Amino acid sequence: VYGATLEERVQILLNDFSDFINKEDLEKVGQRDMPEPCDIYHNHRNNITFNHDFPLGGDFNLTYPKIKAKYDHRIKKLLSTIKASKQVLIVYMELPKTTHKISPQTLQEQLNLLNNKFPDTQIDMLYIAHNENMPDGISKCEPISPNLFNGECFNSRRDSENDYSGNRQNAKLVLKGISCKKKIT
């Protein structure tokens, strides 16, 4: 899924994903052919776009229940994992070529909201910003506060104008020193 600002995504977590994929909130906004053909639906309530889930030309009323069940399962698992964990890292990475940077104050405010929502879990946040001036193969990650970190890298693929997935190799450099004790499957 894509879309929604950091603040909108935090609100989704704070509201336990209520209205995340309600049928009445979804509107077909297009289709895509690559990497696999799909219809694209946008949730006008929370600004999330589902661009991988709905089969191209499929009957929405027939495919929706299965897709909703898939997300309900994932949401339940995610929320229970956060609540059961001692420490969680939230990673937010800008889309390539983003020019609007999120201020450290806004990042800290959002982190505080998450820590208040999950008081028994230490939530850390890593914000990965796109930096047009950084060369490939270079990244940096600096603390803003004890639980908030700012990473930077050149996040576009230099060979593509239509680039939504970013430069995975450069993003991996920012994440290089981070390891997870438990993965959600």
Side-chain angles (χ1 to χ4, degrees), residues 1 15 20 26 28 79 94 103 108 114 132 164-165 174:
V1 298
N15 295 326
F20 183 71
L26 296 174
K28 184 176 176 183
L79 291 174
E94 294 177 343
S103 73
Q108 189 65 60
L114 290 168
E132 287 278 339
Y164 297 103
S165 63
V174 177

Side-chain angles (χ1 to χ4, degrees), residues 6-7 10-11 13-14 88 90 102-126 144-149:
L6 171 68
E7 295 90 337
V10 168
Q11 280 303 309
L13 276 167
L14 295 176
V88 169
I90 303 276
I102 302 172
S103 73
Q105 178 182 353
T106 298
L107 292 167
Q108 189 65 60
E109 289 168 356
Q110 298 306 304
L111 179 58
N112 291 345
L113 289 170
L114 290 168
N115 276 304
N116 289 336
K117 166 74 176 177
F118 303 102
D120 298 327
T121 304
Q122 178 187 319
I123 308 281
D124 297 333
M125 184 182 289
L126 170 60
I144 295 172
S145 69
N147 302 90
L148 179 60
F149 303 88

